[in-house]
Amino acid sequence: MIADEAPVIANSLWSATAPAPADGYPALDGTAYADVVIVGAGFTGLSAAIHLAQAGASVIVLDVQTP
């Protein structure tokens, strides 16, 4: 379980079966550049990020917790 994560999310099928990304979830540190910055890694934010990235945009998603 991830620290400070809601138990309902921590015990989900997704968190139990999804592989961790290769580079983890790096914190934003210093200067970053992107075509689009999305605040919020909920369903809408992540869907928008995926579609924009597939269209060729560089995307940064910011959220206080693990997506």
Side-chain angles (χ1 to χ4, degrees):
M1 187 160 131
I2 297 171
D4 300 324
E5 190 171 33
V8 171
I9 295 171
N11 295 325
S12 70
L13 177 62
W14 170 259
S15 64
T17 60
D23 59 352
Y25 299 106
L28 184 61
D29 185 28
T31 304
Y33 296 93
D35 297 321
V36 179
V37 175
I38 296 173
V39 179
F43 290 117
T44 304
L46 293 178
S47 177
I50 289 169
H51 286 86
L52 287 164
Q54 288 173 338
S58 62
V59 182
I60 294 174
V61 178
L62 301 175
D63 201 304
V64 70
Q65 291 187 358
T66 303

